């Protein structure tokens, strides 16, 4: 597979991961499927850092859009375009890494919840909160918040890991494209020759 085609595949794989990151981060604001907690400001601190929206969302989306352009023949589908794709891929990797760190912190610290007296983060600095059956009784409100936050933060971590991996592959692909070319011109010439060749 030439570097141009590889860029298109990588960009196409990044788009659903961007959507997943934005969706997970947005859902974390609506805990227990209720808007009132977001209105009252009772949201887990790490959710406010917008790791999935800003990092795994916007930064990776910008990178994916440019990476796709380098896979097409035209102004960016050349060696210089591939060089810039390395920079954009690095930006995308940084966005994915930011999303991963924020999600990991959210998972490690646990959710903000109401324990019948006050809003606290009861599982912060506790390694056993992930055993949901034991820890869930400490959170009265929102309902099932431990499971809710855990599933979404794990989904964010998985998406960001794949984003970083794909962007790292694009860095290597961009380097190959810089040195060897994108082979888009070869594809265009081949297509033209097929168009103008008369049938025997």
């Amino acid at each position: 597979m030439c570097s141009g085609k590889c860029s298109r595949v990588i960009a196409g794989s990044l788009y659903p991961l961007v959507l997943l990151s934005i969706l997970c981060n947005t859902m974390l604001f609506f805990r227990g499927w209720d808007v009132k907690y977001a209105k009252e400001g009772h949201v887990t601190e790490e959710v406010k850092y917008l790791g999935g929206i800003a990092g795994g969302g916007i930064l990776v989306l910008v990178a994916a859009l440019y990476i796709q352009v380098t896979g097409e023949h035209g102004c960016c589908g050349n060696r210089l375009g591939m060089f810039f794709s390395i920079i954009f891929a690095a930006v995308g990797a940084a966005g994915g890494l930011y999303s991963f760190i924020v999600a990991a912190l959210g998972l490690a610290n646990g959710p903000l919840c109401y324990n019948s007296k006050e809003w606290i983060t009861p599982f912060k600095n506790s390694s056993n909160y992930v055993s949901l059956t034991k820890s869930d009784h400490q959170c009265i409100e929102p309902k099932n918040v431990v499971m809710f936050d855990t599933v979404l933060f794990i989904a964010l971590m998985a998406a960001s890991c794949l984003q970083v991996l794909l962007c790292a592959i694009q860095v290597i692909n961009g380097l190959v494209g810089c040195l060897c070319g994108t082979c888009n011109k070869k594809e265009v010439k081949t297509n033209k020759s097929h168009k103008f060749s008369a049938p025997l």
Side-chain angles (χ1 to χ4, degrees):
M1 182 185 290
C2 72
S3 57
K5 281 184 180 178
C6 187
S7 292
R8 293 196 294 271
V9 171
I10 290 170
S13 302
L14 283 172
Y15 291 132
L17 294 173
V18 167
L19 183 62
L20 178 62
S21 294
I22 293 173
L23 186 63
C24 287
N25 201 152
T26 304
M27 285 172 66
L28 281 163
F29 281 100
F30 303 104
R31 317 172 80 207
W33 310 106
D34 203 326
V35 185
K36 72 173 184 177
Y37 302 111
K39 287 181 177 178
E40 295 168 359
H42 297 141
V43 179
T44 302
E45 193 64 28
E46 287 77 15
V47 178
K48 300 174 186 176
Y49 299 159
L50 302 179
I53 295 174
I58 295 171
L59 287 180
V60 177
L61 179 61
V62 169
L65 289 169
Y66 187 83
I67 290 168
Q68 183 175 5
V69 170
T70 60
E72 308 291 337
H73 63 272
C75 63
C76 296
N78 51 37
R79 293 173 193 262
L80 183 62
M82 277 294 177
F83 171 75
F84 283 113
S85 80
I86 297 173
I87 298 171
F88 277 91
V91 170
L97 185 61
Y98 173 69
S99 178
F100 179 85
I101 292 170
V102 171
L105 283 172
L107 192 63
N109 293 333
L112 175 74
C113 64
Y114 187 68
N115 68 347
S116 77
K117 294 180 181 178
E118 58 182 341
W119 288 90
I120 57 169
T121 309
F123 315 114
K124 194 170 184 177
N125 302 321
S126 174
S127 58
N128 65 350
Y129 106 89
V130 181
S131 62
L132 304 177
T133 53
K134 294 181 180 178
S135 61
D136 220 15
H137 73 278
Q138 297 187 48
C139 286
I140 296 174
E141 198 179 346
K143 191 177 180 181
N144 299 322
V145 66
V146 177
M147 179 67 77
F148 187 82
D149 278 25
T150 300
V151 169
L152 290 174
F153 276 130
I154 288 175
L156 271 173
M157 289 174 68
S160 58
C161 280
L162 290 172
Q163 287 172 338
V164 171
L165 178 63
L166 288 168
C167 287
I169 293 171
Q170 178 56 32
V171 169
I172 298 168
N173 182 53
L175 186 59
V176 171
C178 279
L179 299 175
C180 307
T182 62
C183 68
N184 283 327
K185 291 180 181 178
K186 293 178 184 177
E187 289 178 11
V188 173
K189 287 179 182 177
T190 306
N191 291 336
K192 284 182 179 178
S193 65
H194 284 309
K195 279 182 182 178
F196 295 109
S197 59
L200 295 174

